[in-house]
Amino acid sequence: MKFQWWHEYQTGVEQISTDHATLVAPDARLDGASGPIRIGKRCVIHPGAMLLPYGGFITMGDDCTVNPYTILYGHGGLTLGNGVRIATHSVIIPANHIFTDPAQPIHTQKETRIGVAIEDDVWIGSNVTILDGVRIGRGSVIAAGSVVTKDVDPFSIMGGAPARLLKQRS
């Protein structure tokens, strides 16, 4: 199957900006109506990927790849550095529900919206979930299927649910 790529994602919404060398698959969904999306140079957004700011923002550096069926939310802000690789079916959620009052339905309680920051040269494996308030340090690797709930030091290899340090890259 051959994909036809859009070099510039045109939606009529001024909140989406890409570089001319960035490739966005025609069936990727970028929702600029719900907040700004800034995509750097030479990035690739694969088929079925979704970038949904939901009142926040999504900013990607240069040379990033978002593989098929990955969902990037922007509620509290999502920042990706340069050279970030995100494998298929991963989800990054910079928001979380507060559910401390059992007398109130969860959907009526507030949310945290701290944001997520992923530094340069990070590889996120397939089916990874990254939750609100996390910073992933430069040069780190997140193993497939991991759930990241806490900050990751630079050059760490993390895995599991919740993710824990497996080893440091030397």
Side-chain angles (χ1 to χ4, degrees):
M1 171 185 285
K2 184 176 179 180
F3 295 107
Q4 294 189 8
W5 297 90
W6 291 350
H7 287 281
E8 294 185 41
Y9 195 86
Q10 299 295 327
T11 64
V13 177
E14 295 297 321
Q15 294 195 87
I16 297 175
S17 67
T18 65
D19 180 78
H20 72 277
T22 288
L23 303 175
V24 178
D27 62 343
R29 180 170 173 221
L30 281 66
D31 181 10
S34 72
I37 299 171
R38 305 284 181 255
I39 302 173
K41 299 174 184 171
R42 300 173 304 278
C43 293
V44 180
I45 312 298
H46 284 271
M50 300 173 75
L51 281 67
L52 311 169
Y54 288 153
F57 65 87
I58 298 171
T59 301
M60 300 173 74
D62 299 334
D63 303 304
C64 294
T65 302
V66 178
N67 277 286
Y69 309 108
T70 291
I71 302 173
L72 305 181
Y73 291 115
H75 299 82
L78 171 58
T79 303
L80 305 179
N82 296 319
V84 173
R85 297 289 186 262
I86 305 175
T88 187
H89 293 278
S90 292
V91 179
I92 302 176
I93 311 166
N96 204 351
H97 291 280
I98 295 172
F99 52 89
T100 54
D101 184 354
Q104 293 284 352
I106 294 170
H107 76 275
T108 65
Q109 296 185 50
K110 296 184 183 211
E111 295 179 335
T112 64
R113 290 181 172 221
I114 299 168
V116 170
I118 300 173
E119 295 178 359
D120 296 345
D121 189 33
V122 170
W123 176 24
I124 298 168
S126 63
N127 295 301
V128 167
T129 301
I130 300 171
L131 299 178
D132 193 28
V134 168
R135 173 177 289 279
I136 297 179
R138 181 179 194 276
S140 293
V141 176
I142 310 299
S146 297
V147 178
V148 183
T149 61
K150 295 181 180 173
D151 288 354
V152 174
D153 289 333
F155 300 101
S156 297
I157 300 173
M158 306 288 287
R164 61 181 176 78
L165 180 65
L166 301 177
K167 64 181 183 176
Q168 289 291 131
R169 290 179 61 200
S170 52

